[in-house]
Amino acid sequence: MLYRDLKLANLLIDGRGGVWVSDFGLAKAKDDDDLTQSGEVVGTLRYMALFAALGAWLASPRRPLLPNDLAIADLNGDAKPDLAIANTGDQQDLSPDSIALFFNRGGSFGRARKLPAGDLPFSLAALDLNGDRAADLLWANQRWRDLVCLYNGGSGRFAAGFEIPFEDYPGRIAAGDLDGDGRPDLAHITLRSNSLTILWNGGGTGWGVKTVLETGPGPNFINIIDVDGDGKNDLVTTNAISPQSIVKDVSVLRSQGSRRFEPAVHYKIGGSARDFAAGDLDGDRHLDLAVAHESPPGISILKNRGEGAYAGEAAEISTGFDVSSVAIGDFDRDGQLDLAGAGDLSFVGLLLNLGDGTFEKPISLGSGFAPLFVRTDDLDGDGSLDLAVTNVRSDSVTIFYNDGKGGFARTETLAAGGRLFW
């Protein structure tokens, strides 16, 4: 069944935390004929399933590539940041799932070169996993229920690394040193769970040891951050739904060292939590959290009061558009960290810091259709932070080049498609 207009107001939660649909809105069975004309879409756009909103669900034998996650790293050893994109392809294998690589040519990018991925690559990371100082690729295949690593042989060529099977469908992944041994460990969430799993990097002994930690109900994004500044990396998740209400929250699990973590502390935010980023937004030398959310649209700011404890009530920024991803950086080079949020139909919102941890109204930057993720780095080597945005409907990536003053007039559009290579 495809729900084309399912609003949060039509979801009821019983005393045991179960979710019930009180009004199906516009719905259709998978094999039913379409009643609307070709190219026409019926429903409330904000609440529609992705493929219905894009007018692509079962309307064509070819599903467009969906550029999902985005990672930025030097992939070929030339000291310039490159791009890696997790692409979900066509169900009939006309456009197979892939990892698309865009190599930096110094102020612009070449055509995509694609690596075969698996089935539904959902989350992607690029970092040195084997200690050879080259960024390897790591991603989770949701339908194949596995985690795949390709080792970087240098110069942007990749060879088989390892594969870790999962018992259930994997969600987002994160990588970082969680036990202080100098080796990056892996943390992932599992869909339809209340927990995260850490896979400990044993060096030559592999990844056989794991730890399961309880988070809030329905974690959907995860990151590894030293929230309390004690030199030990902690874990943070955003959570999709709580038993008590539709209001979502963030879970912080502080490291105690020796592979032990404190129980999760939960902080409520003002909407349906999505991607998040960390940075000192108010100049007090503590890492705050900026959390993208939908329904209502906006960004929640959780201010760090010190030692990893966040203010009990999030400061809310009303953006006027649903935000699926947020990036933090000093985009206008005034010494204050700013925000960039993606998630509306065709633009990214730039929110400049006023100097006290509050922000100006969003400045619209025109992107492709349906921007999903935004990441930031100095992509052209001029000392200013640029933006890279994946566009789901356009099958593309938009690069916004910073003029050094927070202006992004120069853009580049990259096609997520490209030839397969190994």
Side-chain angles (χ1 to χ4, degrees):
M1 180 71 73
L2 173 67
Y3 304 110
R4 300 203 291 179
D5 199 11
L6 188 60
K7 296 180 175 64
L8 292 178
N10 297 329
L11 298 180
L12 304 177
I13 299 180
D14 61 28
R16 295 178 296 177
V19 180
W20 298 78
V21 179
S22 62
D23 184 350
F24 288 95
L26 293 168
K28 59 168 286 187
K30 176 179 178 181
D31 297 325
D32 282 353
D33 293 332
D34 290 317
L35 299 180
T36 52
Q37 296 179 357
S38 176
E40 296 295 322
V41 180
V42 176
T44 307
L45 188 58
R46 179 176 294 175
Y47 300 100
M48 293 173 68
L50 176 63
F51 288 110
L54 303 182
W57 183 264
L58 299 178
S60 167
R62 182 187 184 279
R63 192 179 75 193
L65 283 172
L66 301 182
N68 285 323
D69 209 355
L70 164 66
I72 302 177
D74 178 10
L75 298 174
N76 58 359
D78 64 356
K80 293 189 286 288
D82 308 301
L83 307 179
I85 313 294
N87 279 325
T88 301
D90 178 72
Q91 289 177 323
Q92 285 76 33
D93 292 328
L94 299 178
S95 299
D97 294 354
S98 64
I99 306 298
L101 307 180
F102 296 93
F103 293 106
N104 195 327
R105 299 185 297 190
S108 65
F109 289 84
R111 294 180 59 186
R113 291 193 289 172
K114 296 197 298 181
L115 298 167
D119 199 350
L120 192 56
F122 187 68
S123 184
L124 174 70
L127 75 165
D128 179 12
L129 287 169
N130 58 359
D132 64 356
R133 299 184 180 181
D136 308 306
L137 293 173
L138 179 77
W139 68 89
N141 287 314
Q142 198 171 88
R143 289 201 188 98
W144 278 6
R145 305 186 190 184
D146 64 1
L147 186 72
V148 176
C149 169
L150 294 182
Y151 286 135
N152 193 335
S155 71
R157 294 285 172 173
F158 292 84
F162 58 84
E163 179 184 6
I164 300 174
F166 293 136
E167 295 179 359
D168 209 336
Y169 296 101
R172 300 289 170 182
I173 62 173
D177 184 4
L178 289 168
D179 56 5
D181 65 356
R183 295 189 295 262
D185 307 296
L186 307 177
H188 72 87
I189 56 179
T190 301
L191 299 184
R192 302 188 299 271
S193 77
N194 297 339
S195 64
L196 64 86
T197 301
I198 301 172
L199 302 174
W200 299 105
N201 189 340
T205 62
W207 302 82
V209 179
K210 68 180 182 180
T211 299
V212 178
L213 302 173
E214 184 175 347
T215 66
N220 56 0
F221 282 82
I222 185 171
N223 210 338
I224 296 173
I225 305 165
D226 182 7
V227 300
D228 51 11
D230 64 354
K232 298 188 291 288
N233 280 327
D234 311 298
L235 290 160
V236 181
T237 69
T238 55
N239 305 311
I241 193 165
S242 67
Q244 292 77 24
S245 68
I246 294 295
V247 177
K248 311 304 189 294
D249 63 15
V250 172
S251 296
V252 177
L253 297 86
R254 292 171 57 188
S255 173
Q256 295 177 311
S258 302
R259 298 189 174 183
R260 294 180 296 113
F261 289 81
E262 296 179 3
V265 178
H266 309 291
Y267 300 93
K268 286 191 175 181
I269 63 168
S272 178
R274 299 287 295 166
D275 187 24
F276 65 99
D280 180 8
L281 297 173
D282 53 8
D284 64 357
R285 300 184 180 181
H286 301 306
L287 290 179
D288 309 303
L289 299 177
V291 185
H293 64 71
E294 305 169 348
S295 305
I299 298 173
S300 292
I301 305 298
L302 286 170
K303 294 193 175 182
N304 192 331
R305 299 180 299 187
E307 298 183 353
Y310 289 88
E313 184 175 352
E316 295 297 331
I317 302 174
S318 179
T319 57
F321 63 94
D322 283 337
V323 187
S324 62
S325 179
V326 63
I328 293 177
D330 183 7
F331 299 119
D332 55 1
R333 303 181 70 174
D334 65 351
Q336 308 291 333
L337 293 181
D338 311 303
L339 303 174
D344 210 308
L345 286 182
S346 58
F347 69 88
V348 173
L350 179 67
L351 297 87
L352 298 178
N353 196 326
L354 293 172
D356 58 358
T358 62
F359 298 85
E360 296 181 5
K361 292 183 178 180
I363 301 170
S364 297
L365 305 176
S367 67
F369 192 19
L372 183 62
F373 281 102
V374 57
R375 298 290 183 259
T376 184
D377 205 327
D378 180 7
L379 299 175
D380 56 3
D382 67 352
S384 299
L385 290 175
D386 309 303
L387 297 171
V389 180
T390 58
N391 304 303
V392 174
R393 182 61 180 98
S394 302
D395 183 16
S396 66
V397 179
T398 301
I399 307 297
F400 295 93
Y401 292 103
N402 194 335
D403 63 7
K405 301 178 181 180
F408 293 88
R410 186 169 79 92
T411 64
E412 182 180 8
T413 300
L414 310 175
R419 64 183 180 86
L420 284 171
F421 82 110
W422 189 257

